[in-house]
Amino acid sequence: AMAGLFFEKPPGHGRARIPATGRFTGPVVMLIDERMISSAETFTWAMTETGRVVTVGRPTGGATIIPRSFDAPSGLFSFRLGVTDRKTPGKGVQPEGIGTAPDVYVPYTAKTLADGRDPVLETARLVLGHLLAGKSRKQAIAAGKKARK
């Protein structure tokens, strides 16, 4: 349901439910890191595979338990069970144990933490500014990477 808020039509895979109203059509920058696992990680790769978002931060945790539907041999019922051997529907990537890499990698250092800065948020704001100014996704990512050097 959450992913459906970002699309005008289903992205071609998954189960995004598209609401009649309330869709967000502006640019989206997602902050990601290694603490994103399970359904948060599934949401992340689903959004990134469509090219709809720019991700900023560090790779996700690589713990993707993706539900798969199974039918009972009798045909009387079906059930969903979390499995880890399934590839992403769009690009066929196996994120389990690897995670999803961000478009713009932003490490934390002891100095930035001591200074009380949040370099991921700073970079995300820069990238969003480029997108809002009409720059392409590719140009916004390049600007974010350049700012991190």
Side-chain angles (χ1 to χ4, degrees):
M2 180 70 170
L5 296 174
F6 298 98
F7 300 98
E8 298 213 13
K9 61 181 184 169
H13 64 277
R15 294 185 168 95
R17 287 179 252 142
I18 311 303
T21 61
R23 288 185 301 272
F24 181 76
T25 58
V28 178
V29 177
M30 281 180 68
L31 283 60
I32 66 172
D33 68 17
E34 60 280 352
R35 294 173 293 173
M36 297 183 80
I37 60 170
S38 195
S39 60
E41 186 156 16
T42 301
F43 179 76
T44 300
W45 60 251
M47 293 292 285
T48 60
E49 284 202 338
T50 65
R52 175 71 172 87
V53 303
V54 174
T55 54
V56 175
R58 293 177 308 285
T60 59
T64 57
I65 297 178
I66 304 166
R68 182 183 284 173
S69 294
F70 295 92
D71 292 324
S74 65
L76 294 175
F77 64 92
S78 62
F79 60 96
R80 290 170 46 102
L81 181 66
V83 296
T84 61
D85 66 343
R86 194 165 131 191
K87 294 181 179 181
T88 63
K91 296 182 180 176
V93 175
Q94 172 52 276
E96 181 66 28
I98 299 169
T100 299
D103 295 308
V104 181
Y105 177 77
V106 182
Y108 275 111
T109 65
K111 181 168 178 12
T112 57
L113 293 173
D115 291 345
R117 292 181 39 240
D118 186 340
V120 176
L121 185 58
E122 291 169 6
T123 304
R125 285 180 173 154
L126 176 88
V127 169
L128 182 58
H130 282 275
L131 293 171
L132 289 171
K135 302 288 184 182
S136 71
R137 182 178 185 280
K138 185 176 179 178
Q139 290 170 318
I141 290 170
K145 287 179 177 179
K146 183 177 179 183
R148 296 298 4 133
K149 290 185 178 183

